[in-house]
Amino acid sequence: TSSIKFYLSDTGNCSNAEFMKTRYNDLRDLIYEDHEQVHNVDPRGVFAINQINLGEVGVYGFDYDYTLAQYSDSMQEFIYTQSTKVLVEKHNFPKDLLNVSFLPDFCIRGLHYDIQRSLLMKVDICNVIQLGTVYRGMEMVPDEEVMWLFNGTRHIPKHIIEQSYVSTGESLRQLMDIFSMPEMMLLANVVEYFRHRNIVYDPRILFESVQDSVRSVHVSGLLYDEVASNIDKYLDKGSLTPLINFLLAGGKKLFLITNSGYHFVNCGLRHLIGPDWKDVFDVVIVQAKKPRFFHKGSRPFKCVTPDNSSSNLVVSWERVNEFKKGEVYCEGCIDELMQLSKWVGNEVLYFGDQIYADLSDPTYSYGWRTGAVIPELEEEISVMNSRVFGHSVIWLQTLERLLERMQIYRDAESQQLVREWLNERNELKTKVKEIFNPRFGSVFRSHLSSSYFAGRLCRMADLYTSSVNNLTQYYPNHFFFPTRGTLPHEHVVSLAYQHDGYDHAIEKALSDKRPNNLK
């Protein structure tokens, strides 16, 4: 209460506008001078969307790329550089594109790309385009032009948004996984190059050519050769050993399902775990062809054996009737996996970085528990823990509540203050966004709303974390409980509004000034 009294100025015998200014100044001083961060979030924490008891989980499954193998940032630049070369050599794009740089902080994961309009943009959980995050090439599209381009509405129809996360989307694609980052950068740079030189281009051919170029880097062997030749540059040696020992000591079964080929996986896991990595897993599945692997149907597994005299694999066509430790399998499907392993859906916890390809079908169709690996989460939480973010976001929400309450004053001077505060609110929203990324903001937020990425994440995953290694911070039988979500009428329990004096100050101020017939 001492801080409340200190910050509550005398508001007797003043006009409405003077009263509003006094309350504004008192609250701003309270936040920027007196408020300290009470609680920091652990950047290496595991966060629950649904409650899950690890004591009931007997089987842990993993994707490989960006799940078990968390590559260094230089991987993105390599993919971008090689994709640009393919774009020039295979698709005859201008050679000058080879001189256009990769910007590692240009974009964020989960953006949508409007194919016909050549626009990168961020969409929120309600299918609404966030103004200030629409880019044509490297240039932000003004809000007025965005409204004109989309016929006066920022809302994307349901049938279009639902097609955006499948490869058949005709007009819109969501770029969800981390391997999409070089693709987004290349799209932006090519569009920017053509625009500045007034080169007429077909937007669909541009998009499909960029997609094919990025895909070629993955399927041609370029990526494998680069990682194999510079393994220490991309992966931390032995970094998975603590996790593996932790899970095995807890009596857990482990399996691997990846679309990558055996030699690529073998090279990486020998470095991350050791030469006997295959003995760690109860089941190893490569070239799984996800998401098809998770679709209902019957597709048998094939046993694969490395050919010691070459880089090829010997594929057995004999039907696999049981899984054996140390063996490697390809193709197959989830039905066969569950039948052969005798695992029950809710005892399986599967981690992957691709929300649609890895987590959607196992969650909805088979009852697996799922965990999303989001490497950028660690950096985002570090930003959230910063003093500048804490002050900015708390003042933004305080200002919004001040605006909401002070609308009862209708005289011209008071209404002018309201307009000024609304302008300040817009500036604060931009500031809070740009703290994360100057163009697109947070991966998880679109101002007050969740981003479309976060919305899909919360529908498909039970847990999310920045790295699978973070599991070692918890007991094997740890019980995760999700934070209680707050609806608009539940703000009394929301942490967002908890700081000393705010509600008491506003309630008292309004009570002092409000006419008797409104009390």
Side-chain angles (χ1 to χ4, degrees):
T1 56
S2 59
S3 62
I4 296 172
K5 292 176 182 178
F6 177 80
Y7 282 104
L8 274 178
S9 303
D10 182 14
T11 55
N13 301 317
C14 64
S15 67
N16 291 340
E18 289 171 339
F19 165 73
M20 291 169 66
K21 290 178 184 178
T22 301
R23 284 294 162 262
Y24 171 95
N25 290 331
D26 286 347
L27 291 168
R28 200 175 193 284
D29 289 345
L30 175 63
I31 291 168
Y32 281 97
E33 294 180 12
D34 196 56
H35 176 73
E36 295 295 335
Q37 194 90 346
V38 175
H39 174 71
N40 283 336
V41 180
D42 181 4
R44 297 184 63 243
V46 176
F47 303 95
I49 297 170
N50 297 310
Q51 73 175 40
I52 178 170
N53 184 354
L54 296 185
E56 297 175 353
V57 174
V59 184
Y60 282 75
F62 301 95
D63 178 41
Y64 176 69
D65 292 300
Y66 281 106
T67 300
L68 288 179
Q70 289 204 304
Y71 300 105
S72 63
D73 293 341
S74 53
M75 172 72 80
Q76 304 298 328
E77 185 166 3
F78 172 80
I79 295 172
Y80 170 85
T81 301
Q82 297 303 317
S83 299
T84 308
K85 290 180 181 178
V86 175
L87 192 66
V88 170
E89 295 168 5
K90 178 180 178 181
H91 297 281
N92 299 311
F93 276 58
K95 291 183 179 179
D96 286 348
L97 287 169
L98 296 172
N99 301 320
V100 183
S101 299
F102 173 79
L103 301 178
D105 298 324
F106 169 72
C107 57
I108 60 173
R109 185 152 51 134
L111 298 178
H112 283 76
Y113 186 75
D114 187 304
I115 298 172
Q116 290 301 327
R117 299 182 181 93
S118 300
L119 299 177
L120 267 177
M121 56 193 180
K122 187 176 179 182
V123 179
D124 73 13
I125 193 174
C126 298
N127 305 354
V128 174
I129 300 166
Q130 180 183 339
L131 294 177
T133 67
V134 180
Y135 277 75
R136 183 185 292 113
M138 301 295 292
E139 184 177 333
M140 188 182 78
V141 180
D143 295 348
E144 300 78 13
E145 186 178 348
V146 173
M147 298 302 292
W148 177 78
L149 285 169
F150 291 91
N151 301 315
T153 178
R154 293 182 289 135
H155 182 266
I156 300 175
K158 181 174 180 287
H159 70 281
I160 293 178
I161 204 79
E162 287 184 346
Q163 291 178 1
S164 71
Y165 45 83
V166 295
S167 58
T168 56
E170 288 294 315
S171 59
L172 195 70
R173 295 284 179 88
Q174 188 180 20
L175 303 168
M176 284 288 282
D177 60 68
I178 303 176
F179 279 132
S180 296
M181 303 289 277
E183 181 180 344
M184 287 187 274
M185 186 75 255
L186 188 53
L187 284 168
N189 278 338
V190 174
V191 171
E192 184 75 2
Y193 181 91
F194 285 177
R195 282 182 63 246
H196 276 275
R197 289 160 181 79
N198 295 316
I199 298 174
V200 179
Y201 64 92
D202 182 289
R204 177 163 292 280
I205 291 176
L206 184 152
F207 174 73
E208 292 176 349
S209 298
V210 168
Q211 276 215 319
D212 178 75
S213 299
V214 175
R215 189 183 305 112
S216 295
V217 176
H218 292 270
V219 302
S220 66
L222 278 172
L223 192 61
Y224 165 68
D225 291 341
E226 171 66 13
V227 172
S229 302
N230 302 281
I231 191 77
D232 287 307
K233 178 179 177 181
Y234 297 107
L235 295 171
D236 291 334
K237 187 175 180 64
S239 58
L240 284 179
T241 303
L243 172 68
I244 298 301
N245 291 340
F246 170 78
L247 293 175
L248 293 180
K252 309 299 184 181
K253 297 179 184 295
L254 308 181
F255 68 93
L256 173 69
I257 304 177
T258 176
N259 286 350
S260 292
Y262 169 77
H263 291 293
F264 187 65
V265 173
N266 179 54
C267 175
L269 289 182
R270 285 176 66 89
H271 191 74
L272 293 166
I273 298 174
D276 298 327
W277 68 268
K278 285 184 287 186
D279 296 331
V280 165
F281 295 94
D282 292 82
V283 181
V284 175
I285 302 164
V286 299
Q287 298 173 326
K289 299 182 180 178
K290 294 179 293 182
R292 178 184 169 188
F293 180 91
F294 292 123
H295 294 169
K296 289 188 175 181
S298 179
R299 188 171 60 142
F301 286 102
K302 299 174 185 176
C303 188
V304 298
T305 307
D307 185 344
N308 294 328
S309 61
S310 71
S311 61
N312 297 323
L313 292 174
V314 177
V315 179
S316 170
W317 287 90
E318 292 185 16
R319 185 174 185 86
V320 175
N321 294 312
E322 64 174 334
F323 292 126
K324 297 178 181 178
K325 259 195 171 184
E327 297 286 348
V328 179
Y329 307 92
C330 68
E331 300 189 12
C333 64
I334 191 171
D335 280 341
E336 286 280 316
L337 173 64
M338 299 304 282
Q339 289 176 20
L340 294 179
S341 66
K342 308 302 181 185
W343 296 331
V344 179
N346 60 6
E347 72 172 332
V348 177
L349 174 56
Y350 181 69
F351 285 89
D353 71 292
Q354 298 189 33
I355 294 175
Y356 300 132
D358 287 326
L359 309 184
S360 175
D361 290 315
T363 296
Y364 290 144
S365 301
Y366 295 90
W368 286 12
R369 313 307 298 270
T370 54
V373 178
I374 308 171
E376 52 266 60
L377 178 64
E378 188 167 341
E379 183 176 348
E380 288 229 355
I381 291 175
S382 297
V383 171
M384 287 173 53
N385 288 339
S386 69
R387 185 179 181 86
V388 64
F389 176 80
H391 282 170
S392 299
V393 77
I394 292 175
W395 174 235
L396 171 60
Q397 294 187 66
T398 301
L399 184 61
E400 288 175 341
R401 295 187 76 189
L402 193 61
L403 273 162
E404 190 170 27
R405 296 189 184 211
M406 293 300 181
Q407 292 177 70
I408 63 171
Y409 302 116
R410 311 304 298 173
D411 59 279
E413 193 177 2
S414 298
Q415 286 298 296
Q416 176 60 30
L417 272 178
V418 168
R419 287 190 289 273
E420 291 174 6
W421 292 355
L422 284 170
N423 289 335
E424 182 181 355
R425 171 183 176 266
N426 290 335
E427 292 172 1
L428 274 168
K429 286 171 63 180
T430 301
K431 179 181 179 180
V432 169
K433 180 196 86 171
E434 292 179 350
I435 289 174
F436 292 97
N437 178 284
R439 298 173 182 85
F440 300 102
S442 168
V443 174
F444 302 91
R445 280 265 175 207
S446 177
H447 292 321
L448 291 178
S449 300
S450 298
S451 65
Y452 194 84
F453 173 89
R456 301 303 295 177
L457 168 69
C458 290
R459 290 190 64 183
M460 296 179 184
D462 296 291
L463 303 171
Y464 65 97
T465 186
S466 63
S467 168
V468 289
N469 287 319
N470 298 339
L471 288 167
T472 59
Q473 297 186 115
Y474 301 85
Y475 291 110
N477 60 349
H478 184 87
F479 207 140
F480 286 99
F481 297 95
T483 303
R484 177 188 175 96
T486 53
L487 297 170
H489 66 282
E490 297 177 322
H491 71 84
V492 70
V493 298
S494 174
L495 288 174
Y497 300 136
Q498 286 185 7
H499 69 77
D500 292 341
Y502 176 73
D503 282 311
H504 180 89
I506 290 296
E507 290 292 349
K508 185 178 186 306
L510 285 179
S511 178
D512 289 345
K513 198 65 180 174
R514 191 176 295 150
N516 288 331
N517 63 336
L518 293 179
K519 288 184 180 179

